[in-house]
Amino acid sequence: MSLINDIKNTINPVTIDQFKSTIGKRGGPSTANRYSVTITPPSQTLLNLDLNSIASSALSGNFSLGGLVNDPRDINILCESCSLPGRAIQTGDYDAHNRATRKYPSGIIEEDVEFTFLLTNDYYAKKFFDRWMRSVIDPVTELISYRDEYATDVYIQQLDKKNTPTYGIKLLNAYPTGVTGIELSNESTDATQSVTVSMTYERFEIEGSIKSTINSTRDKLSVFRRLL
């Protein structure tokens, strides 16, 4: 009988119980809505010095001293979606002594990351990244700043049901390269708006649960000190 069972397991090795056991011992299935984003922008973007924005807020009765500070913790909360970046090995072809063509590794390709943010009535997310992009290159003079003046590290974490990081990505020297347009329409009066931001970076590092938690917390504390 044991031989017959072995043959059956070879033909159909996975049962429902085995599947449930495997999922259970791995902590359950990962869910897309359990994530955390930590973006710490350059220091020059933390203060809101847009006089037009300040005047508009004052006229609408929404002005507060807190509006003079661009708290990056708000931008993290407003992040509706993002993606963990992919990585591919770039290859070239060579003729292996008149045999079939073979490939050889020639470099690493890492894709840019897109973030989507909920827009509030003060257009906080849009203004936040517009200001950051102006710190990269002046749209009038086209003068480019030094990298250390606009690049910063960004953390993306996959969380479990207890909000504990299970997988972390650190984007080194990241900065925004594009902010999408925003469509205005009379078709729906209740639809919320969002803005999508593309960010590039030097490279990314995969971090474990503990390291990712420590690094992202350290960056949050550094921003808090700058705000003070």
Side-chain angles (χ1 to χ4, degrees), residues 8-194:
K8 288 182 177 179
N9 288 334
T10 301
I11 297 174
N12 185 21
V14 179
T15 65
I16 293 297
D17 289 339
Q18 289 174 323
F19 179 76
K20 290 169 63 178
S21 175
T22 298
I23 295 297
K25 74 179 181 180
R26 302 294 177 184
S30 178
T31 54
N33 67 330
R34 294 281 183 173
Y35 66 94
S36 173
V37 172
T38 302
I39 299 177
T40 55
S43 298
Q44 64 266 31
T45 66
L46 293 177
L47 292 179
N48 180 15
L49 302 179
D50 186 346
L51 297 180
N52 290 328
S53 176
I54 295 173
S56 176
S57 297
L59 291 174
S60 64
N62 295 324
F63 176 76
S64 67
L65 292 178
L68 298 177
V69 178
N70 294 315
D71 191 339
R73 292 171 294 185
D74 293 344
I75 206 70
N76 300 333
I77 294 173
L78 294 174
C79 183
E80 289 186 321
S81 66
C82 66
S83 59
L84 293 167
R87 176 181 283 162
I89 296 178
Q90 188 175 15
T91 61
D93 296 331
Y94 73 96
D95 189 357
H97 303 292
N98 296 322
R99 292 183 293 176
T101 301
R102 296 183 179 178
K103 294 184 180 294
Y104 64 92
S106 60
I108 293 291
I109 301 175
E110 295 177 338
E111 58 189 23
D112 289 352
V113 179
E114 287 192 348
F115 299 82
T116 300
F117 299 91
L118 176 69
L119 276 180
T120 50
N121 272 326
D122 61 357
Y123 261 42
Y124 170 69
K126 178 75 165 62
K127 294 175 181 178
F128 180 94
F129 286 102
D130 284 345
R131 188 176 297 107
W132 192 347
M133 290 185 65
R134 287 198 299 270
S135 75
V136 177
I137 179 171
D138 190 295
V140 177
T141 65
E142 296 189 2
L143 291 177
I144 302 173
S145 304
Y146 292 104
R147 179 179 289 268
D148 59 1
E149 294 178 347
Y150 60 78
T152 185
D153 295 338
V154 173
Y155 298 87
I156 308 173
Q157 298 172 321
Q158 175 72 61
L159 308 177
D160 61 16
K161 292 183 178 180
K162 296 181 180 179
N163 290 331
T164 301
T166 58
Y167 185 87
I169 288 290
K170 178 181 180 181
L171 308 179
L172 282 81
N173 293 324
Y175 60 93
T177 56
V179 177
T180 60
I182 300 171
E183 183 178 355
L184 305 176
S185 173
N186 286 325
E187 292 183 1
S188 176
T189 58
D190 297 325
T192 59
Q193 293 177 298
S194 60

